[in-house]
Amino acid sequence: MTNGHARLRKQALLSVAVALLTLGLGLAGPVAAEVSNQQCMACHQDQGQIKAAHRDCLSCHVGGEEHARSPIQVKPAEVGTQQCMDCHGSDRHFAQFAFSDHAQAGLECTACHGIHEPVFENRDVGLFRTDPSSAQCVSCHQDVRAQFHMTSHHPVIEGGATCVGCHNPHSSATLSLQSRTEQCTDCHQRVRGPYVHEHPAVVEDCSNCHNPHGSPNRGLLVMEEPMLCLTCHSFANNRHGLTGSNALTQEALFQPVPGSAFRQCTSCHAQVHGSAQDQFLRY
Amino acid sequence: MNMNASERLETGRLTRSIRLALGVGALALAPFATMASENVPFEPGTSGYVTPKFYGFDYFRGAGSAFGQFLEIYDFQRSMLSGSRRSGVYADVDFGLRIADEDRELLVLERLSFGRYNQRGYLLLNNQYGNAGAYYSNFRTASGSFNWLFNANNVEGALTPEAFFPAETNTNSGYLAQFNDDSQRRRFDITRLRYGMDVNLDSSVTGGLLAAGAAIDGYNRTGHTFNSYVFGGGDVREAGTNASTPQRVLQRWRAFDQDVDESNRRITLFTTLTPRDLGVLDYEFVFERFSVSEQQRVQGDVNLVLPPEWQFNADGNPFRPLGFVPDSNLIRHSLRGTRNFGSRVAVAAGYGQSVLKQESYTNPQFVSGFDGEISTSNWYINAAANLRPGMRLSGFVRYNDRDNDSTFPAPGLITPTAVTVRVNSLETLRYGLNFNYRLRQMRTSVDLGWERVDISRDLTYRDPSVNRISPERSLYDEDTKYDEFSLRLVSRIGQRTTLRLSPSIISASSTGSITDPDDEFRLRSNLSHVTANGTVVSAYYNYSNRTNDTLSWTGTDGVEVFQDYERQNQAAGLNLAFAISPTMRANAGIAWMQDFTDAIWFASNRRRYEAPGNPVVFVRRDNSKHDVDTYVFNASLDWTVNERLGAQAGYTFTRTDGTTASGEIFDALPVVDGKIDTTLHSLQLLGAYRLSDRTSLTGMYRLEYFDDDTFSDLKGGFHSIMASWRYQF
């Protein structure tokens, strides 16, 4: 109990420290100036729009007034995240975008979202089944696209799953209110239990055993059986050895091992995610 | 918050150049064009299309017409006329409708099909008060067929008759001599039908103060999967006499056809408050019901398939389950808040709780009074401050707690004398700081980061007075603590070249699991260049190496042996997007990925939980290495032949080669399990011809071929042709 209180105090102090540090270091900043716009389309007739609400040019283009007065000398600023957030910042999906992985990497909203024209159009026939947003994701995340071509993979290229089904592009791990295992069981409820006998590796993190993007091994396993299992479990001679001997002689300790015992641990320990009955996860 | 306006401008231009070069061509014909609003310029009015499609397909070679094919895992087909899964024809239709006025898209409806069991669709409705939507998708996979092909009766060397013979008395591993496949099925497939709908009230209705909404999501998952199990040593006996003869061992290892019929329904309610200048406060409530309708098998059912001379042991509990999957309810709610203090400081915080309750029980669970429940609580605080132009400091704290509140002990199921460890709770606390500095003149952004991970486990190892797994005989410990130090560099090298480099190192003071890093080095790098004519070249190299040699087993002889785990992943790739001519663009990419793991294989004379009442010693048998390389090449061509005709071609080559183990384990494994040697070719050819302003024809040919040099039954190919006529209005 004492440790628990100390831990809670430590967490609370940490939270306050981080908040105070950032609050204390920050200073009150300027408020973005309001601008108006009347003349844009006289010159920019060719600029299309994707969203109806985006037809007021000056709501996004900071410096548009000056540009309208001196079109050659003054260029309006490129639309950045701040301009998007002026309208969309109160949307629950984008409110915490400033802390997202994409924002931390320096990406603006316009890196993915078009205003005048589509930022991305899928013209790769190899992705003809892929959901458009996922095709857009892998156009930058080429390493992940390669993983989706591995022998075992989530069917993203095939259109059976999507990147945003697992990843929120406007968020990050530091903004998550779920553990990784909970994220997986958002779709894979069948293996969420509750179980009488849990497998600690599953409780900890599904990615201990699975690579969700792709793997050369069946079942998205990061490594094939038996080595995947034998990194944490010893091999009990008296149940898996060829003679089943539990003797301590060199001959017994190093007895031959049947390939059948090695090849698929989960052929016998089939309830590897957890069991309602058996502590050995066999049924 | 990372960049000033001029840097944003440059980055935006560069990003757009890359995007345009990669994807947006000048083709007037767009065979994959959808109504997805971000892909289509806004235009008031009504528009839409209808596209009837006709398919023909043929699977050739492969494991035979009665078996599944590897290619069916991701592309399941069935003839509409004959029902054949090998060859046939079927029809489908795509359609879309968009209605928009000057202010908004009032309605967007679309259905798209990509195969016999691969469709999706959605509906969007908008008005001045809010919006509503609905979606569905349908996808079938035959991965169970693949698993069946790998079952012990199909793989040479997967049975070990000598484990039972000649002594015929080995009841411990003798069951490995015979695998009893009771499934009566060779082909397994599962379909997942997802659907959902939502209604959202726009905040403008309440003067910008409040938005609210509700959503219903769900899925049905139906089909069959291949399931196996092993009985305990005494669970099968000779019929009539109930005698314990050695031959009963051969009946222990079995498999059956597991029906899958499950559904999940989720209701989400949310409300977002945006009081003027006070930030954003969002509350979400989720109720989820997971129901299982399939037959839940019990061990006594084995009497239906056992040979006449055998039966389930009358002394055992015939109601013990075989792969029981419970119904369950999940309740989750969360509160998130965001506040900006001027343009310099931003704070985001969140708190959430969830409770997962088991709602259906096996007979033994019911008898023992078992109640299944898992609860979690999570919170985070993120804060960031712009210290001065070009300097940003951010920090976070994130906490996750998972408590196993299920009944413990539950007599007959799990007791203090059971052998395994119970994870009562798992607490994870992460916190860190990141300092970002922009070197404007060098057009470079540098991030220095530190993160601390502190995992605390409350574990119950059983009563030490009885035989059980004890902490010293487990590679599992209560604490994991490590620090990660990272650097992120984003630099514009010249006008059109960007370098991203992110190395990080992890060092642990304690690890509680082998997969926790004791030491780790990671590197992610990317270099991209856009030429003046729009050619994009990008290359990446990712590397990670994780080791852990801190956890050990100690035998009853006092000898301590340490596991020595190393996992290394590398990935490198080169991608090119370029214009061959004003009407022809091409993309090509090549990638290499390495999965490498090295760990020690330990054997023990007995199971670990047989100590301390029996001597248990550990011996190091061998090192074993999992080392597999994968190579992927993909290329595509997009050609506007003329105003009426367009063509596209794509080819993907995937080669995987390596061994899943080495040394003694590799030598003992059947060839199909120890070695991976596969090649997958995938070719698509597409032509689209515009007949008139409103109509067009599209034809597509696909060829896929999977080659497996270690398991010839998996070889197989697939042809498909598709013809469609599109009418748009």
Side-chain angles (χ1 to χ4, degrees):
Chain A
M1 250 348 232
T2 307
N3 287 340
H5 284 305
R7 188 174 190 81
L8 279 175
R9 271 203 304 277
K10 184 180 170 188
Q11 293 162 15
L13 282 171
L14 271 170
S15 314
V16 171
V18 170
L20 286 177
L21 185 64
T22 47
L23 282 171
L25 293 169
L27 301 171
V31 176
E34 287 288 331
V35 295
S36 61
N37 170 61
Q38 301 292 330
Q39 303 165 272
C40 301
M41 295 311 291
C43 298
H44 298 284
Q45 307 95 322
D46 59 333
Q47 294 283 15
Q49 60 183 103
I50 292 174
K51 295 279 189 182
H54 286 166
R55 63 188 165 198
D56 181 6
C57 309
L58 298 186
S59 67
C60 302
H61 290 285
V62 175
E65 278 183 330
E66 290 78 3
H67 171 63
R69 281 195 292 271
S70 307
I72 306 298
Q73 290 82 1
V74 182
K75 298 291 184 190
E78 190 85 356
V79 173
T81 295
Q82 186 55 54
Q83 284 71 51
C84 300
M85 286 298 164
D86 284 345
C87 293
H88 297 288
S90 61
D91 187 309
R92 63 197 297 255
H93 300 297
F94 315 126
Q96 300 187 343
F97 178 72
F99 300 97
S100 69
D101 289 331
H102 278 144
Q104 300 272 358
L107 293 180
E108 303 283 346
C109 303
T110 51
C112 302
H113 301 282
I115 298 172
H116 297 295
E117 61 197 7
V119 168
F120 175 81
E121 186 183 356
N122 181 15
R123 302 201 67 85
D124 184 340
V125 70
L127 303 175
F128 77 101
R129 291 171 291 182
T130 313
D131 151 74
S133 68
S134 301
Q136 182 168 2
C137 295
V138 299
S139 70
C140 283
H141 297 278
Q142 297 276 355
D143 52 339
V144 179
R145 176 177 179 172
Q147 289 180 297
F148 285 142
H149 287 296
M150 296 176 96
T151 313
S152 176
H153 56 268
H154 263 112
V156 173
I157 297 293
E158 294 81 2
T162 62
C163 298
V164 295
C166 303
H167 301 281
N168 180 347
H170 307 113
S171 188
S172 73
T174 65
L175 301 171
S176 174
L177 290 173
Q178 289 181 305
S179 67
R180 196 134 48 180
T181 296
E182 285 178 282
Q183 289 174 338
C184 297
T185 55
D186 256 357
C187 292
H188 299 282
Q189 279 84 355
R190 190 175 182 86
V191 293
R192 75 181 179 188
Y195 295 113
V196 175
H197 300 280
E198 296 185 319
H199 187 179
V202 179
V203 172
E204 295 259 343
D205 188 341
C206 299
S207 64
N208 279 332
C209 300
H210 298 283
N211 184 341
H213 292 141
S215 166
N217 309 304
R218 280 176 288 150
L220 295 168
L221 293 176
V222 297
M223 197 178 3
E224 264 297 359
E225 302 172 47
M227 280 312 298
L228 177 64
C229 309
L230 290 173
T231 54
C232 296
H233 297 272
S234 63
F235 189 89
N237 284 340
N238 63 338
R239 281 298 180 279
H240 303 111
L242 185 62
T243 67
S245 169
N246 59 24
L248 297 175
T249 62
Q250 284 293 302
E251 185 183 8
L253 284 173
F254 291 87
Q255 65 185 271
V257 174
S260 48
F262 264 155
R263 63 181 300 265
Q264 286 185 348
C265 305
T266 51
S267 181
C268 298
H269 302 279
Q271 303 306 310
V272 68
H273 297 108
S275 172
Q277 179 75 37
D278 183 42
Q279 55 194 340
F280 309 111
L281 309 182
R282 295 169 302 180
Y283 39 78
Chain B
M1 295 179 76
N2 274 343
M3 296 190 173
N4 62 23
S6 64
E7 285 170 323
R8 278 205 302 266
L9 181 65
E10 287 178 357
T11 305
R13 283 177 180 156
L14 181 62
T15 307
R16 181 160 301 173
S17 302
I18 294 171
R19 293 300 197 174
L20 288 171
L22 281 173
V24 181
L27 262 182
L29 289 161
F32 313 134
T34 70
M35 307 297 285
S37 57
E38 290 209 7
N39 287 329
V40 183
F42 178 78
E43 196 170 308
T46 299
S47 60
Y49 68 90
V50 179
T51 309
K53 297 166 121 177
F54 302 92
Y55 292 85
F57 72 94
D58 178 48
Y59 277 100
F60 59 97
R61 295 193 66 177
S65 59
F67 301 92
Q69 282 249 14
F70 170 83
L71 294 169
E72 286 181 292
I73 296 176
Y74 297 107
D75 202 355
F76 192 96
Q77 306 287 346
R78 186 189 290 272
S79 174
M80 191 174 267
L81 299 178
S82 66
S84 168
R85 286 168 50 166
R86 279 293 168 270
S87 60
V89 295
Y90 59 91
D92 213 327
V93 62
D94 293 353
F95 56 82
L97 176 65
R98 175 201 294 255
I99 302 172
D101 64 12
E102 293 292 331
D103 297 320
R104 59 183 58 82
E105 287 169 334
L106 300 171
L107 180 148
V108 182
L109 171 68
E110 187 157 41
R111 179 197 191 265
L112 298 164
S113 62
F114 304 95
R116 184 75 171 90
Y117 297 98
N118 186 351
Q119 301 95 21
R120 57 179 179 258
Y122 65 93
L123 168 70
L124 300 173
L125 298 168
N126 287 294
N127 67 17
Q128 67 269 39
Y129 304 115
N131 61 71
Y135 68 89
Y136 89 101
S137 72
N138 182 40
F139 190 80
R140 179 173 290 189
T141 177
S143 55
S145 298
F146 192 39
N147 292 336
W148 184 85
L149 282 170
F150 272 88
N151 87 53
N153 287 345
N154 291 340
V155 172
E156 190 176 342
L159 294 173
T160 312
E162 60 270 32
F164 183 67
F165 301 101
E168 297 188 358
T169 55
N170 182 357
T171 58
N172 292 336
S173 58
Y175 62 90
L176 293 167
Q178 182 171 306
F179 182 65
N180 303 278
D181 180 5
D182 304 323
S183 63
Q184 305 295 311
R185 184 185 286 269
R186 294 168 169 177
R187 300 194 295 196
F188 300 81
D189 55 78
I190 287 184
T191 304
R192 183 184 282 256
L193 173 66
R194 294 174 57 242
Y195 54 86
M197 61 185 74
D198 66 319
V199 180
N200 300 286
L201 177 71
D202 198 277
S203 63
S204 61
V205 176
T206 58
L209 181 65
L210 181 145
I216 298 173
D217 299 275
Y219 68 78
N220 288 350
R221 192 166 168 271
T222 53
H224 297 265
T225 189
F226 185 63
N227 207 341
S228 55
Y229 62 97
V230 167
F231 276 131
D235 287 337
V236 178
R237 295 293 173 95
E238 196 170 353
T241 65
N242 212 22
S244 176
T245 55
Q247 284 76 15
R248 78 184 190 283
V249 170
L250 300 176
Q251 300 298 326
R252 289 178 58 191
W253 191 17
R254 317 195 70 84
F256 64 99
D257 170 11
Q258 169 75 65
D259 302 336
V260 175
D261 186 358
E262 63 192 35
S263 63
N264 193 66
R265 313 269 186 274
R266 180 184 298 154
I267 298 172
T268 305
L269 304 171
F270 78 88
T271 182
T272 306
L273 277 170
T274 50
R276 187 178 297 272
D277 299 331
L278 290 177
V280 179
L281 198 62
D282 178 55
Y283 176 76
E284 182 179 88
F285 174 84
V286 175
F287 175 77
E288 186 177 292
R289 168 73 170 172
F290 177 67
S291 305
V292 181
S293 305
E294 68 212 33
Q295 178 189 0
Q296 300 275 13
R297 293 175 186 254
V298 294
Q299 296 193 3
D301 292 343
V302 76
N303 284 336
L304 300 173
V305 292
L306 278 174
E309 62 270 32
W310 302 104
Q311 66 181 33
F312 187 78
N313 181 7
D315 294 335
N317 183 349
F319 298 110
R320 287 187 301 192
L322 290 177
F324 176 72
V325 181
D327 294 350
S328 57
N329 288 346
L330 177 74
I331 295 175
R332 186 171 67 213
H333 70 133
S334 62
L335 183 67
R336 295 174 191 264
T338 313
R339 171 106 195 249
N340 294 330
F341 299 88
S343 63
R344 297 285 180 89
V345 176
V347 177
Y351 176 76
Q353 286 180 312
S354 74
V355 178
L356 172 67
K357 281 189 73 70
Q358 185 172 341
E359 295 294 325
S360 65
Y361 292 88
T362 65
N363 178 276
Q365 285 179 330
F366 182 75
V367 170
S368 71
F370 179 79
D371 186 15
E373 182 173 322
I374 305 292
S375 61
T376 69
S377 62
N378 310 281
W379 56 263
Y380 66 82
I381 296 177
N382 284 227
N386 288 330
L387 307 179
R388 46 181 287 195
M391 292 175 65
R392 181 186 195 242
L393 179 67
S394 59
F396 79 94
V397 185
R398 181 187 164 202
Y399 173 79
N400 298 91
D401 176 43
R402 177 197 191 270
D403 291 317
N404 184 352
D405 295 329
S406 301
T407 306
F408 177 75
L413 278 179
I414 182 169
T415 66
T417 59
V419 298
T420 54
V421 61
R422 183 177 193 266
V423 184
N424 302 313
S425 72
L426 180 67
E427 283 184 291
T428 306
L429 179 67
R430 294 172 178 263
Y431 47 94
L433 289 171
N434 188 79
F435 176 71
N436 171 263
Y437 184 57
R438 292 193 312 274
L439 302 151
R440 193 170 303 169
Q441 285 73 25
M442 297 174 67
R443 292 185 296 185
T444 297
S445 170
V446 179
D447 282 82
L448 293 172
W450 161 72
E451 180 177 344
R452 171 79 165 175
V453 176
D454 186 345
I455 303 173
S456 178
R457 305 168 180 89
D458 178 17
L459 308 176
T460 294
Y461 288 96
R462 311 296 187 231
D463 184 348
S465 65
V466 297
N467 288 344
R468 91 289 189 220
I469 289 182
S470 56
E472 66 270 24
R473 276 178 283 284
S474 167
L475 299 185
Y476 197 42
D477 209 343
E478 292 182 337
D479 294 312
T480 296
K481 298 178 195 296
Y482 62 83
D483 295 279
E484 178 173 4
F485 301 93
S486 61
L487 167 72
R488 178 160 58 198
L489 178 79
V490 181
S491 182
R492 294 284 309 283
I493 306 168
Q495 283 296 313
R496 297 176 176 276
T497 305
T498 301
L499 171 68
R500 293 177 179 270
L501 202 60
S502 308
S504 66
I505 57 170
I506 291 175
S507 181
S509 55
S510 64
T511 63
S513 164
I514 279 297
T515 51
D516 288 340
D518 178 37
D519 287 300
E520 182 166 352
F521 175 72
R522 292 182 199 152
L523 173 69
R524 293 181 66 83
S525 62
N526 184 289
L527 183 68
S528 59
H529 176 74
V530 184
T531 66
N533 65 3
T535 296
V536 179
V537 184
S538 65
Y540 63 85
Y541 174 68
N542 302 332
Y543 173 86
S544 71
N545 183 281
R546 171 180 292 196
T547 60
N548 189 343
D549 59 1
T550 63
L551 297 171
S552 64
W553 286 303
T554 303
T556 53
D557 57 355
V559 175
E560 185 178 19
V561 293
F562 283 83
Q563 177 57 286
D564 188 358
Y565 175 80
E566 178 185 10
R567 185 172 173 206
Q568 179 171 292
N569 290 93
Q570 295 189 79
L574 177 68
N575 295 282
L576 183 65
F578 60 101
I580 298 171
S581 73
T583 59
M584 189 183 293
R585 291 203 64 84
N587 294 324
I590 187 163
W592 162 69
M593 291 160 282
Q594 182 203 36
D595 289 89
F596 173 85
T597 309
D598 184 359
I600 301 173
W601 163 39
F602 287 98
S604 54
N605 64 313
R606 289 175 178 270
R607 292 169 291 187
R608 289 176 286 155
Y609 67 85
E610 293 183 55
N614 298 287
V616 173
V617 302
F618 297 90
V619 291
R620 174 180 171 150
R621 293 288 299 255
D622 199 2
N623 254 61
S624 197
K625 295 178 176 62
H626 178 282
D627 191 0
V628 181
D629 294 289
T630 303
Y631 307 86
V632 178
F633 170 75
N634 64 279
S636 67
L637 186 72
D638 181 9
W639 181 26
T640 304
V641 181
N642 56 45
E643 285 188 352
R644 287 186 175 273
L645 182 63
Q648 296 187 336
Y651 172 70
T652 304
F653 167 87
T654 306
R655 167 124 184 91
T656 305
D657 185 17
T659 53
T660 64
S662 65
E664 248 187 294
I665 294 180
F666 179 76
D667 292 341
L669 281 173
V671 175
V672 303
D673 296 305
K675 188 166 171 50
I676 299 176
D677 188 354
T678 63
T679 307
L680 176 64
H681 303 268
S682 181
L683 172 73
Q684 302 88 27
L685 300 172
L686 181 146
Y689 184 76
R690 179 159 39 212
L691 299 169
S692 70
D693 286 347
R694 291 185 178 277
T695 59
S696 61
L697 290 174
T698 299
M700 186 174 189
Y701 170 73
R702 292 173 56 209
L703 169 65
E704 300 203 4
Y705 188 75
F706 182 75
D707 193 8
D708 191 324
D709 280 347
T710 61
F711 196 172
S712 59
D713 279 356
L714 297 181
K715 291 182 181 182
F718 167 72
H719 292 286
S720 169
I721 55 170
M722 184 276 291
S724 70
W725 174 76
R726 178 176 173 120
Y727 174 77
Q728 59 191 48
F729 52 90

